[in-house]
Amino acid sequence: MSQNGEKTADAPPIQTRTGEDASDPDSGGQPITMCVSLQYVLPSDTDLGKIYNSFGGAYHERYTLIARNIISNVAQTFSPQDFWTDRTTIADKMFEACRDELKRQGMVTVTQLQLLRIDFPSQYEDMITLIQLQVQQKVTKEYQQRVTAILKNLEVMQAEVNAQVSVIEAEADRTSLQITNAAVAEGYMLQQAAKTNATALVAKTLGLDGPEVVQYLKLKAMKSHPSARTVIGLHDPFGTDGSGGN
């Protein structure tokens, strides 16, 4: 504790107890040792004379005693766990209580209060550290389980998507094949119809009867497939019937 911005420790650490331990209500709290820094400024008006009239030259020792009592009382309103998990709130409550009480009793203005250090008995600190470690390990394990579950869900979703893609691709191939086959069949039918129409037109134009149309188609086929061994217009060109090819 200091005045006017001085930062010299002028009192030993505050030894007190916390409030009840939730895990051990009969314990009456845990022993605790705190190092606290508190700064205040003296007034510059007529209150300064009142301070000297009330406390003389020992005003600082009086303020230190008041502040230590207030800080001890506030500490007893918090559980041991609070000092691990909510240290800022505890420091704020101590500041507010010291500010109000020193203003009321000592006519000074508290400007800052810092909760510098908190010490529990080593056995209790070891127990709390172990508990916090177990809690952290539990949280870490839960996160790992969530990550694993998410990855498994992603794998299932990916498999479902792949299956859907395979079905779509198979359906597309089947549809493509059907369209291609239908187009080929339709083209063949159109080609045959065109040939039939062309033959009918030739027969009609030339006045050909049925046998003559057949002969026409034979000649057309031979023309489409020429060969050096093809003989046209001879009944037996090699004389196999004994007529000498006549």
Side-chain angles (χ1 to χ4, degrees):
M1 182 171 178
S2 62
Q3 60 176 318
N4 298 326
E6 295 179 3
K7 297 182 179 180
T8 302
D10 52 10
I14 301 172
Q15 294 184 344
T16 183
R17 299 185 69 87
T18 67
E20 291 184 355
D21 189 340
S23 62
D24 188 10
D26 296 330
S27 67
Q30 293 292 332
I32 187 174
T33 301
M34 296 178 293
C35 295
V36 180
S37 172
L38 184 146
Q39 295 84 42
Y40 66 88
V41 293
L42 294 170
S44 57
D45 52 16
T46 55
D47 286 340
L48 185 59
K50 295 179 181 179
I51 291 175
Y52 280 99
N53 289 334
S54 300
F55 309 118
Y59 65 90
H60 181 67
E61 288 74 11
R62 178 62 177 173
Y63 295 157
T64 299
L65 178 61
I66 294 173
R68 288 172 65 89
N69 289 335
I70 293 172
I71 291 170
S72 176
N73 292 338
V74 173
Q76 295 176 39
T77 64
F78 290 92
S79 70
Q81 289 79 9
D82 292 333
F83 284 88
W84 289 80
T85 61
D86 204 7
R87 182 168 173 169
T88 300
T89 298
I90 296 174
D92 290 342
K93 292 296 184 181
M94 291 178 175
F95 168 75
E96 293 170 1
C98 288
R99 178 196 61 193
D100 295 344
E101 195 63 22
L102 285 176
K103 187 68 173 178
R104 187 181 68 83
Q105 293 190 41
M107 295 167 283
V108 293
T109 301
V110 176
T111 57
Q112 295 185 64
L113 183 146
Q114 297 86 29
L115 189 52
L116 302 178
R117 180 172 176 174
I118 301 172
D119 291 323
F120 285 94
S122 58
Q123 183 178 1
Y124 184 77
E125 285 195 356
D126 292 343
M127 181 186 70
I128 292 297
T129 300
L130 179 60
I131 292 174
Q132 292 296 321
L133 179 60
Q134 292 174 344
V135 170
Q136 185 61 43
Q137 290 175 341
K138 180 181 178 182
V139 172
T140 301
K141 186 175 181 180
E142 290 176 351
Y143 276 120
Q144 290 175 343
Q145 292 174 344
R146 292 179 185 177
V147 170
T148 301
I150 291 173
L151 292 177
K152 291 295 183 183
N153 290 335
L154 289 176
E155 290 178 359
V156 172
M157 293 172 61
Q158 185 63 51
E160 292 175 349
V161 170
N162 291 339
Q164 293 177 358
V165 169
S166 298
V167 171
I168 293 173
E169 289 179 345
E171 182 66 20
D173 291 341
R174 186 184 67 82
T175 302
S176 175
L177 184 60
Q178 288 179 341
I179 294 174
T180 301
N181 291 339
V184 171
E186 184 177 0
Y188 179 77
M189 294 297 295
L190 292 175
Q191 184 181 27
Q192 295 302 314
K195 288 181 179 181
T196 301
N197 293 335
T199 301
L201 180 60
V202 170
K204 181 178 180 181
T205 302
L206 299 179
L208 303 177
D209 56 15
E212 290 173 336
V213 170
V214 173
Q215 188 65 24
Y216 165 75
L217 292 175
K218 287 181 178 181
L219 292 173
K220 187 175 181 182
M222 290 179 181
K223 183 178 180 182
S224 301
H225 303 282
S227 174
R229 297 181 179 183
T230 301
V231 180
I232 300 176
L234 296 178
H235 174 66
D236 186 8
F238 302 104
T240 58
D241 59 357
S243 62
N246 294 324

